[in-house]
Coordinates of all heavy atoms in Angstrom, one line a residue:
K1154 N -4.2 0.1 67.0 CA -3.5 -0.3 68.3 C -2.1 0.3 68.3 O -1.6 0.9 69.2 CB -3.4 -1.8 68.3 CG -2.5 -2.3 69.4 CD -2.1 -3.8 69.2 CE -1.0 -4.0 68.2 NZ -0.5 -5.3 68.1
S1155 N -1.4 0.1 67.1 CA 0.1 0.5 67.1 C 0.2 2.0 67.2 O 1.2 2.5 67.9 CB 0.7 0.0 65.8 OG 0.7 -1.4 65.8
L1156 N -0.6 2.8 66.6 CA -0.5 4.2 66.6 C -0.9 4.7 68.0 O -0.3 5.6 68.6 CB -1.4 4.9 65.6 CG -0.8 4.8 64.2 CD1 -1.8 5.3 63.1 CD2 0.5 5.6 64.0
A1158 N -0.6 3.1 70.9 CA 0.5 2.7 71.8 C 1.7 3.7 71.7 O 2.2 4.2 72.7 CB 1.0 1.3 71.5
R1159 N 2.1 4.0 70.5 CA 3.2 5.0 70.3 C 2.8 6.4 70.8 O 3.6 7.0 71.5 CB 3.5 5.1 68.8 CG 4.3 3.8 68.4 CD 4.3 3.7 66.9 NE 5.1 2.6 66.4 CZ 4.8 1.3 66.5 NH1 3.7 0.9 67.2 NH2 5.6 0.4 66.1
T1225 N 3.5 -4.5 72.8 CA 3.8 -3.0 72.8 C 4.1 -2.6 74.3 O 5.0 -1.9 74.5 CB 2.6 -2.2 72.3 OG1 1.4 -2.7 72.9 CG2 2.5 -2.3 70.8
R1228 N 7.5 -4.3 75.6 CA 8.7 -3.8 74.9 C 8.8 -2.3 75.1 O 9.9 -1.8 75.4 CB 8.7 -4.2 73.4 CG 9.2 -5.6 73.0 CD 8.1 -6.7 73.3 NE 8.5 -8.0 72.9 CZ 7.9 -8.7 71.9 NH1 6.9 -8.2 71.2 NH2 8.2 -9.9 71.7
F1229 N 7.8 -1.5 74.9 CA 7.9 -0.1 74.8 C 8.2 0.5 76.2 O 8.8 1.6 76.3 CB 6.7 0.6 74.2 CG 6.5 0.3 72.8 CD1 5.3 0.8 72.1 CD2 7.3 -0.5 72.0 CE1 5.1 0.5 70.8 CE2 7.1 -0.8 70.7 CZ 6.0 -0.3 70.1
R1252 N 7.0 -14.9 75.1 CA 7.3 -13.9 74.0 C 8.7 -13.4 74.2 O 9.2 -13.1 75.3 CB 6.3 -12.7 74.1 CG 4.8 -13.2 74.0 CD 3.9 -12.1 73.5 NE 4.2 -11.7 72.2 CZ 3.6 -10.7 71.5 NH1 2.6 -10.1 72.1 NH2 3.9 -10.4 70.3
A1298 N 17.3 -7.9 66.4 CA 15.8 -7.8 66.4 C 15.1 -8.8 65.6 O 14.0 -8.6 65.1 CB 15.5 -6.4 65.9
S1300 N 13.7 -11.4 66.3 CA 12.4 -12.0 66.8 C 11.3 -10.9 66.9 O 10.1 -11.3 67.1 CB 12.6 -12.7 68.1 OG 13.2 -11.9 69.0
S1301 N 11.6 -9.6 66.9 CA 10.6 -8.6 67.0 C 11.1 -7.2 66.6 O 12.1 -6.8 67.2 CB 9.9 -8.6 68.4 OG 9.0 -7.5 68.4
S1302 N 10.4 -6.6 65.7 CA 10.7 -5.2 65.4 C 10.5 -4.3 66.6 O 11.0 -3.2 66.7 CB 9.9 -4.7 64.3 OG 8.5 -4.6 64.7
Q1303 N 9.7 -4.7 67.6 CA 9.3 -3.9 68.7 C 10.6 -3.5 69.6 O 10.6 -2.6 70.3 CB 8.2 -4.5 69.5 CG 6.9 -4.5 68.8 CD 5.8 -5.2 69.5 OE1 6.0 -6.0 70.4 NE2 4.5 -5.0 69.1
F1304 N 11.6 -4.4 69.5 CA 12.9 -4.0 70.2 C 13.4 -2.7 69.7 O 13.9 -1.9 70.5 CB 13.9 -5.1 70.1 CG 13.5 -6.5 70.5 CD1 14.3 -7.6 70.2 CD2 12.4 -6.7 71.2 CE1 13.9 -8.9 70.5 CE2 12.0 -8.0 71.6 CZ 12.8 -9.1 71.3
S1306 N 11.7 -0.4 67.8 CA 10.7 0.7 68.1 C 10.9 1.2 69.5 O 10.8 2.4 69.8 CB 9.3 0.2 67.8 OG 9.1 0.1 66.4
L1327 N 15.4 -8.0 60.2 CA 14.5 -7.1 60.9 C 13.1 -7.3 60.4 O 12.8 -6.8 59.3 CB 14.9 -5.7 60.8 CG 14.0 -4.6 61.4 CD1 13.8 -4.9 62.9 CD2 14.5 -3.2 61.2
P1328 N 12.2 -8.1 61.1 CA 10.8 -8.2 60.6 C 10.0 -7.0 60.8 O 10.4 -6.1 61.5 CB 10.3 -9.4 61.4 CG 11.0 -9.3 62.7 CD 12.4 -8.7 62.4
S1329 N 8.8 -7.0 60.3 CA 7.8 -5.9 60.5 C 8.4 -4.5 60.4 O 8.2 -3.6 61.2 CB 7.2 -6.1 61.9 OG 6.7 -7.3 62.1
I1330 N 9.2 -4.3 59.3 CA 9.9 -3.0 59.1 C 8.8 -1.9 59.0 O 9.1 -0.7 59.4 CB 10.8 -3.1 57.8 CG1 11.6 -1.7 57.6 CG2 10.0 -3.4 56.6 CD1 12.7 -1.5 58.6
H1332 N 6.4 -1.3 60.8 CA 6.1 -0.8 62.2 C 7.3 0.1 62.7 O 7.1 1.0 63.4 CB 5.8 -1.9 63.2 CG 4.5 -2.5 63.0 ND1 4.1 -3.6 62.3 CD2 3.3 -2.1 63.6 CE1 2.8 -3.8 62.4 NE2 2.3 -2.9 63.2
V1333 N 8.5 -0.2 62.2 CA 9.6 0.6 62.6 C 9.5 2.0 61.9 O 9.8 3.0 62.5 CB 11.0 -0.1 62.3 CG1 12.1 0.8 62.7 CG2 11.0 -1.4 63.0
M1335 N 6.9 3.4 61.0 CA 5.8 4.1 61.7 C 6.4 4.8 63.0 O 6.1 6.0 63.2 CB 4.7 3.1 62.1 CG 3.6 3.7 63.0 SD 2.6 2.5 63.7 CE 1.5 2.1 62.4
T1336 N 7.2 4.1 63.7 CA 7.8 4.6 64.9 C 8.6 5.9 64.6 O 8.5 6.9 65.3 CB 8.7 3.6 65.6 OG1 8.0 2.4 65.8 CG2 9.2 4.1 67.0
T1385 N -5.0 -3.0 60.0 CA -4.8 -4.5 60.1 C -6.1 -5.1 60.4 O -6.5 -6.1 59.8 CB -3.7 -4.8 61.2 OG1 -2.5 -4.3 60.8 CG2 -3.6 -6.3 61.4
E1452 N 7.4 -10.8 55.5 CA 8.3 -10.4 56.5 C 8.1 -9.0 57.1 O 8.1 -8.8 58.3 CB 9.8 -10.5 56.0 CG 10.8 -10.3 57.1 CD 12.2 -10.5 56.6 OE1 12.7 -11.6 56.6 OE2 12.8 -9.5 56.2
I1454 N 5.3 -7.3 57.1 CA 3.9 -7.1 57.5 C 3.3 -8.3 58.1 O 2.1 -8.7 57.8 CB 3.1 -6.6 56.3 CG1 3.3 -7.5 55.1 CG2 3.4 -5.1 55.9 CD1 2.4 -7.2 53.9
G1455 N 4.0 -9.1 58.9 CA 3.6 -10.4 59.4 C 2.3 -10.4 60.1 O 1.6 -11.4 60.1
E1456 N 1.9 -9.3 60.7 CA 0.7 -9.2 61.5 C -0.5 -9.5 60.6 O -1.6 -9.9 61.1 CB 0.6 -7.7 61.9 CG -0.3 -7.3 63.0 CD -0.3 -5.8 63.1 OE1 -0.6 -5.1 62.1 OE2 -0.1 -5.3 64.2
L1457 N -0.4 -9.5 59.3 CA -1.5 -9.7 58.4 C -1.7 -11.2 58.1 O -2.7 -11.6 57.5 CB -1.4 -9.0 57.1 CG -1.0 -7.5 57.1 CD1 -1.1 -6.8 55.7 CD2 -2.0 -6.7 58.1
H1479 N 9.1 -15.0 62.6 CA 8.9 -14.2 63.8 C 7.5 -14.4 64.4 O 7.3 -14.0 65.6 CB 9.3 -12.7 63.6 CG 8.4 -12.0 62.6 ND1 8.4 -12.3 61.2 CD2 7.4 -11.1 62.7 CE1 7.5 -11.6 60.6 NE2 6.9 -10.8 61.5
L1480 N 6.6 -14.9 63.7 CA 5.2 -15.1 64.2 C 5.2 -16.2 65.3 O 4.2 -16.3 66.0 CB 4.2 -15.5 63.1 CG 3.5 -14.3 62.4 CD1 4.4 -13.4 61.6 CD2 2.4 -14.8 61.6
G1482 N 6.8 -16.0 67.8 CA 6.9 -15.2 69.1 C 5.8 -14.2 69.3 O 5.9 -13.3 70.1
H1483 N 4.7 -14.4 68.5 CA 3.5 -13.5 68.7 C 2.7 -14.0 69.9 O 3.2 -14.7 70.8 CB 2.8 -13.4 67.4 CG 3.4 -12.4 66.4 ND1 2.9 -12.0 65.2 CD2 4.5 -11.6 66.6 CE1 3.6 -11.1 64.6 NE2 4.6 -10.9 65.4
E1484 N 1.4 -13.6 69.9 CA 0.5 -14.0 71.0 C 0.6 -15.5 71.3 O 0.4 -15.9 72.5 CB -1.0 -13.6 70.7 CG -1.3 -12.1 70.9 CD -0.8 -11.3 69.7 OE1 0.1 -11.7 69.0 OE2 -1.3 -10.2 69.6
R1487 N 2.2 -18.6 66.0 CA 1.1 -18.5 65.0 C 1.2 -19.5 63.9 O 0.3 -19.9 63.3 CB 0.9 -17.1 64.5 CG 0.2 -16.2 65.4 CD 0.1 -14.8 64.9 NE -0.8 -14.0 65.7 CZ -0.8 -12.7 65.8 NH1 0.0 -12.0 65.0 NH2 -1.6 -12.0 66.6
H1527 N -6.3 -12.9 69.4 CA -7.4 -12.2 68.7 C -7.4 -12.5 67.2 O -8.4 -12.7 66.6 CB -7.3 -10.7 68.9 CG -5.9 -10.1 68.6 ND1 -5.7 -8.9 68.1 CD2 -4.6 -10.6 68.7 CE1 -4.5 -8.6 68.0 NE2 -3.8 -9.7 68.3
R1528 N -6.2 -12.6 66.6 CA -6.2 -12.8 65.2 C -6.5 -14.3 64.8 O -7.0 -14.5 63.7 CB -4.8 -12.4 64.6 CG -4.5 -10.9 64.9 CD -3.5 -10.3 63.9 NE -3.1 -9.0 64.5 CZ -3.7 -7.9 64.6 NH1 -5.0 -7.8 64.1 NH2 -3.2 -6.8 65.2
K1553 N -8.3 -8.1 72.9 CA -6.9 -7.6 72.9 C -6.8 -6.3 72.0 O -6.1 -5.3 72.4 CB -6.0 -8.7 72.4 CG -4.5 -8.3 72.5 CD -3.6 -9.5 72.2 CE -2.1 -9.1 72.5 NZ -1.5 -8.2 71.6
Ligands
S3P1325 O1 5.2 -2.1 67.0 C1 4.0 -2.6 66.8 O2 3.0 -1.9 67.1 C2 3.9 -3.9 66.2 C3 5.0 -4.5 65.6 C4 4.9 -5.9 65.1 O3 5.5 -6.7 66.0 P1 6.7 -7.8 65.6 O4 7.8 -7.1 65.0 O5 7.0 -8.5 66.9 O6 6.0 -8.7 64.5 C5 3.4 -6.3 64.9 O7 3.4 -7.7 64.5 C6 2.6 -6.1 66.1 O8 1.3 -6.5 66.0 C7 2.6 -4.6 66.4

Side-chain angles (χ1 to χ4, degrees):
K1154 168 197 81 171
S1155 292
L1156 287 170
R1159 284 161 176 73
T1225 47
R1228 276 80 179 246
F1229 296 177
R1252 302 201 66 179
S1300 53
S1301 176
S1302 67
Q1303 290 176 343
F1304 302 167
S1306 286
L1327 176 57
S1329 306
I1330 183 73
H1332 282 94
V1333 179
M1335 174 194 279
T1336 308
T1385 295
E1452 187 177 273
I1454 49 172
E1456 196 187 56
L1457 310 189
H1479 62 290
L1480 267 68
H1483 279 184
E1484 282 78 340
R1487 283 181 171 157
H1527 52 147
R1528 301 202 197 284
K1553 186 171 188 291

